Amino acid sequence: MVQSVETRQSVGLSRIWKSLRDSLASRLLWLCRHGNQEQRDLALQHLASFKNNKKWECLKLAQALDMNTAVLLARTQGADLRYFLPPPIHVRRAALSSEFMSFKLRDMIVGVQKISPHSCIKYFLSKYFANLQEQAMEADNIPAKPDVISERELCMLCLDALYHHVILFHSKNYVDDKSTSTLINMDLLPRLAEIFLRYRNDVDMDVCILKILTVISMHTVLLKDFFQNGLIGELCRLIKSDDVRLCSSAAVCLANLSGEHCFRPGLYLLHPLYRTRTKQMCDTLLIHGLRGGVFVTWRQRDPKCDAPLVITDVKSKVKCGKPCVEEEVGVNYMDPELKQVLDDFSEMDEESLLSNMEVVLQDIPIEAKRDSTLNTFTATKKRIALIRENEDNCTYTHCWPKDWLPKDCNNLRILGVNYWSSLSEWLEGCPLQSADIPTRAIELIPALIDARVGQRNVPIIWLAHSMGGLIVKQLLIDAAESQDNLQKICEQTKAVLFYSTPHRGTSLASLPRAADAVLWPSHDVKQLKENSPLLLKIQNQFLTVADKYDFETISFAESMPTLVTAFKVPMHFVAPNSADLGRGIFYQLPLDHLTICKPASRQSILYTTVIDVIQRTTHKKCELQYPNIFLEKFYKLFSWHTFFRATGVIDSIDDNQYKERFRWFERIILDTD
């Protein structure tokens, strides 16, 4: 059958388009491997921007990806998950079997326990795998799984035990990290990939796996093992998650494996999650307090909290985590010009109305010291305030610095610090994780240096809650006294915000004997005694350092007792006189110890103060870099001018010399041989 002219033309165009796409993809892959930094970034962005690809096209691209390009592509926003190969066939087959995964993980726990014995691991094995040695002697006997716990729960407990062991005995050098190397030799990564497949989209299981991966991802030599077991694709899937625990942990793993950054255990990347070509103008670090955490302390205030009522013109709606969508009623067509005129009149009416209104912010301080600023709101700012109020009432964030700060400030890097702490000895805890304030500050220093905090001439702003403020003070004291790169952290620190930090201790650490016997305060609490010599020493030294380096300090104090859930007893954790640093602005708010760091919306003074500090800091940074930015823009303008002139030359070239001249021009542009 003879094809029509239109059909032949359509087939010919489709073949040309297919060849162009294949040629472009192969060229971009070549640039990812052999190009310079700028060319590689541009090529990765183009690969991630490919849309509406067919399955076979994605598989072809996935088979052509090498491990270095794959991890960089996974860190690029918009990358298609089909660009990454799944786990190998033997892992997928194992995921479909009925074999207990908990016993495979148990064997790994026993293996690392032989290398580095630890009492916590011994207790775990005796509790959940009793008579382990007797059962191991019977080779043909498979011990029965405990009936009181499900297989899923037992797997999660085993993963937590493995994480507990590797985080205690990890080392930055892979050769010295005996626990990680032993687990890798026992096929830990294939087993984790198998668990991903068995418990697909199980958030709690994903969190348990990612905690282990954040530790072992420090070793870039394991990138090949991650790639061959299909874990790069899993990390790319998890970095797209709406759960802050999953996306931030996956971002840490990919950043470590790419070799571009090194985030040690306990340090989480909250923003930006993906690779960016813009330079960060400010580092914002979050340090939680006792029994807190990155994903617990810095969440938005729960609307169920017993907080004082505030005057607002916006009705609160159910905070389901999704934006509220107003139902549209019948809309009649209106002439665009008439609509614009009506909108202008409406805006003028709003301007006159809002100019006579007072916007009442949430969390009004009941006392303020050393605050000479006066917040004035124009009609435009009032309108923005009401819009933001409506948005924050419609959505709920589990980490307000991650979700709110980038909306109001550009080019930020937000890092969260996690450390273990306890309020009472009645709670289970590891003896190796108990440390005093100076020790915790010393342990945090290597993680900050490896993350290049303060090493890139970038300002630093600290947000610290409760005991976290004491750790920050001790760290900055140590940085001021050092003579190495650590001193740069102190030099780049511009502001420290203390949320109910017990600068002079707390009465909760000095309970009567009867109450002390019942509550049994932990070592973390006992070191916070009122007028403790250690705390007073830290206080005096920090004031000297703050004056020397001209830190801006802002303190927030609680005024309401906190209901301790475990004992149902209202307790006042930090008194206002102890929360007052004695320097800088001081606010006392009608909040308790847990909600003092949780703003209800972006109109809370807990948030507006942070934004004001960051905006002033980044504005000064922009002023200092203005000459460099001008030269950079001039260079780019000159480059584009040269490019267009060269393009005109190419257009005037004879057709016989087009291919040869175009290749020459391509080599010039791409800086290739």
Side-chain angles (χ1 to χ4, degrees):
M1 183 178 179
V2 180
Q3 293 181 343
S4 62
V5 177
E6 292 80 3
T7 304
R8 290 197 301 269
Q9 290 178 350
S10 176
V11 173
L13 290 175
S14 63
R15 290 179 179 176
I16 294 174
W17 175 247
K18 175 184 174 182
S19 63
L20 288 175
R21 285 177 63 91
D22 292 343
S23 175
L24 179 59
S26 60
R27 182 60 177 170
L28 292 175
L29 287 177
W30 184 90
L31 283 176
C32 291
R33 298 177 184 177
H34 307 286
N36 55 33
Q37 180 69 36
E38 186 175 358
Q39 295 167 357
R40 185 164 59 249
D41 294 341
L42 189 61
L44 289 170
Q45 289 182 1
H46 280 291
L47 284 175
S49 64
F50 283 172
K51 303 297 181 184
N52 302 323
N53 290 331
K54 296 181 180 180
K55 185 176 181 180
W56 65 268
E57 294 176 333
C58 296
L59 290 177
K60 185 177 180 180
L61 182 62
Q63 292 173 352
L65 283 178
D66 62 301
M67 59 182 182
N68 295 310
T69 305
V71 69
L72 292 176
L73 185 59
R75 290 193 62 218
T76 305
Q77 190 171 9
D80 196 327
L81 295 179
R82 296 176 296 175
Y83 290 161
F84 307 95
L85 293 175
I89 186 63
H90 67 275
V91 175
R92 285 177 280 170
R93 287 177 177 174
L96 298 176
S97 65
S98 59
E99 186 178 2
F100 286 145
M101 176 59 66
S102 57
F103 292 113
K104 298 179 182 180
L105 298 176
R106 180 206 62 182
D107 295 337
M108 297 182 187
I109 296 174
V110 175
V112 294
Q113 176 70 0
K114 293 179 180 179
I115 297 177
S116 302
H118 184 40
S119 58
C120 292
I121 303 301
K122 182 180 179 181
Y123 171 75
F124 171 80
L125 293 173
S126 63
K127 181 177 181 180
Y128 295 101
F129 298 97
N131 302 322
L132 180 63
Q133 297 179 353
E134 298 177 1
Q135 295 174 358
M137 294 176 61
E138 303 177 8
D140 298 332
N141 182 26
I142 299 178
K145 184 177 65 66
D147 295 332
V148 295
I149 190 171
S150 65
E151 168 68 8
R152 173 182 174 276
E153 293 173 340
L154 188 57
C155 285
M156 293 176 61
L157 291 173
C158 291
L159 291 173
D160 287 336
L162 285 174
Y163 169 73
H164 183 67
H165 194 281
V166 297
I167 199 174
L168 288 177
F169 300 101
H170 78 279
S171 176
K172 186 178 179 181
N173 189 355
Y174 181 69
V175 178
D176 300 330
D177 198 340
K178 302 299 181 183
S179 298
T180 300
S181 58
T182 301
L183 292 174
I184 295 299
N185 294 332
M186 297 180 70
D187 295 333
L188 172 64
L189 294 181
R191 298 288 79 81
L192 296 182
E194 181 181 342
I195 298 175
F196 271 132
L197 296 176
R198 287 195 180 198
Y199 301 94
R200 202 63 174 173
N201 299 322
D202 190 327
V203 176
D204 294 331
M205 188 67 72
D206 291 341
V207 170
C208 294
I209 298 174
L210 281 176
K211 288 195 299 185
I212 300 177
L213 295 181
T214 53
V215 181
I216 64 179
S217 64
M218 287 194 307
H219 308 300
T220 55
V221 296
L222 299 178
L223 174 58
K224 184 178 180 180
D225 298 270
F226 274 79
F227 178 71
Q228 292 178 344
N229 288 284
L231 292 176
I232 301 299
E234 295 293 338
L235 293 175
C236 184
R237 173 180 65 88
L238 294 173
I239 200 176
K240 300 175 181 290
S241 173
D242 294 331
D243 194 308
V244 63
R245 299 171 298 173
L246 299 181
C247 62
S248 59
S249 300
V252 167
C253 295
L254 292 173
N256 288 342
L257 292 173
S258 66
E260 297 179 331
H261 303 277
C262 180
F263 298 108
R264 292 202 179 195
L267 198 62
Y268 289 88
L269 178 62
L270 301 176
H271 181 82
L273 297 177
Y274 296 97
R275 301 176 73 246
T276 176
R277 301 175 64 183
T278 59
K279 296 181 180 179
Q280 272 71 48
M281 303 296 293
C282 180
D283 277 342
T284 304
L285 280 83
L286 316 176
I287 316 292
H288 64 79
L290 289 173
R291 292 293 295 172
V294 175
F295 312 120
V296 177
T297 300
W298 307 104
R299 67 180 186 273
Q300 185 180 357
R301 188 183 311 157
D302 193 336
K304 297 180 181 180
C305 293
D306 296 329
L309 297 176
V310 295
I311 300 175
T312 175
D313 293 332
V314 182
K315 297 180 180 179
S316 62
K317 302 182 181 180
V318 179
K319 298 191 177 184
C320 57
K322 298 180 180 179
C324 298
V325 179
E326 300 292 341
E327 297 183 359
E328 294 186 0
V329 294
V331 179
N332 298 325
Y333 174 77
M334 182 180 296
D335 182 73
E337 296 182 358
L338 177 60
K339 185 176 183 301
Q340 182 64 39
V341 172
L342 294 178
D343 291 340
D344 293 340
F345 277 111
S346 176
E347 184 175 351
M348 293 173 59
D349 292 339
E350 289 181 1
E351 291 285 345
S352 59
L353 177 63
L354 290 173
S355 60
N356 297 324
M357 288 180 57
E358 291 186 2
V359 175
V360 180
L361 302 182
Q362 293 187 346
D363 305 329
I364 300 299
I366 60 178
E367 182 182 354
K369 297 180 181 178
R370 301 178 293 275
D371 183 9
S372 58
T373 61
L374 180 62
N375 293 325
T376 58
F377 288 87
T378 61
T380 303
K381 290 185 177 181
K382 292 177 182 178
R383 183 186 300 107
I384 295 175
L386 293 177
I387 293 175
R388 289 179 175 178
E389 183 80 10
N390 191 19
E391 292 177 354
D392 299 335
N393 285 334
C394 292
T395 58
Y396 183 85
T397 172
H398 292 275
C399 185
W400 60 264
K402 171 185 177 297
D403 295 331
W404 290 352
L405 291 180
K407 294 181 180 179
D408 298 317
C409 300
N410 297 325
N411 304 331
L412 294 181
R413 186 174 70 156
I414 306 175
L415 301 175
V417 177
N418 249 2
Y419 63 91
W420 185 89
S421 60
S422 176
L423 285 174
S424 174
E425 294 294 346
W426 292 112
L427 304 175
E428 292 184 357
C430 177
L432 297 182
Q433 290 182 321
S434 179
D436 54 13
I437 295 173
T439 304
R440 293 190 189 278
I442 294 175
E443 292 175 349
L444 181 58
I445 288 174
L448 298 180
I449 293 179
D450 287 342
R452 301 183 64 190
V453 175
Q455 312 301 315
R456 302 168 300 144
N457 195 26
V458 175
I460 305 172
I461 294 177
W462 303 82
L463 307 182
H465 175 240
S466 188
M467 193 178 75
L470 302 177
I471 298 176
V472 172
K473 289 165 62 177
Q474 182 64 57
L475 189 149
L476 293 176
I477 293 171
D478 296 339
E481 296 176 351
S482 64
Q483 301 296 329
D484 51 9
N485 292 334
L486 179 60
Q487 192 174 20
K488 295 181 180 179
I489 296 179
C490 197
E491 294 174 353
Q492 294 300 327
T493 295
K494 304 303 178 183
V496 185
L497 284 80
F498 299 100
Y499 294 87
S500 197
T501 295
H503 299 289
R504 299 169 185 82
T506 172
S507 59
L508 187 63
S510 303
L511 295 174
R513 181 174 299 179
D516 186 81
V518 174
L519 299 179
W520 198 7
S522 65
H523 172 72
D524 293 324
V525 176
K526 291 181 179 179
Q527 62 181 334
L528 303 180
K529 291 184 178 180
E530 280 187 307
N531 298 322
S532 166
L534 174 62
L535 298 185
L536 295 180
K537 178 182 178 181
I538 294 176
Q539 170 73 358
N540 296 330
Q541 291 179 339
F542 177 76
L543 291 178
T544 303
V545 173
D547 292 336
K548 177 181 178 181
Y549 290 93
D550 195 20
F551 297 161
E552 181 178 357
T553 56
I554 301 175
S555 304
F556 298 96
E558 63 194 70
S559 61
M560 299 177 62
T562 304
L563 182 63
V564 180
T565 306
F567 307 103
K568 302 295 182 181
V569 177
M571 297 183 179
H572 206 137
F573 278 66
V574 181
N577 61 337
S578 181
D580 185 5
L581 180 65
R583 178 187 184 276
I585 300 175
F586 170 79
Y587 295 121
Q588 184 179 353
L589 305 176
L591 300 171
D592 60 20
H593 190 72
L594 299 181
T595 58
I596 192 66
C597 57
K598 298 176 178 62
S601 70
R602 280 182 287 173
Q603 304 315 308
S604 170
I605 195 172
L606 298 172
Y607 177 76
T608 56
T609 305
V610 178
I611 284 297
D612 182 60
V613 172
I614 294 178
Q615 288 179 345
R616 281 189 281 106
T617 302
T618 54
H619 180 69
K620 293 179 181 179
K621 180 69 176 178
C622 290
E623 288 181 347
L624 293 175
Q625 291 189 347
Y626 179 79
N628 295 332
I629 295 175
F630 174 78
L631 292 176
E632 183 178 355
K633 290 183 177 180
F634 175 78
Y635 173 75
K636 289 183 178 179
L637 182 62
F638 177 77
S639 300
W640 278 111
H641 179 69
T642 306
F643 173 77
F644 284 119
R645 289 190 61 185
T647 305
V649 173
I650 290 179
D651 292 338
S652 63
I653 292 177
D654 193 306
D655 292 339
N656 297 329
Q657 299 179 349
Y658 175 78
K659 292 184 179 179
E660 181 181 355
R661 293 295 181 89
F662 183 81
R663 290 173 182 171
W664 168 81
F665 177 74
E666 186 180 29
R667 289 197 300 268
I668 295 298
I669 294 297
L670 299 179
D671 296 330
T672 58
D673 297 330

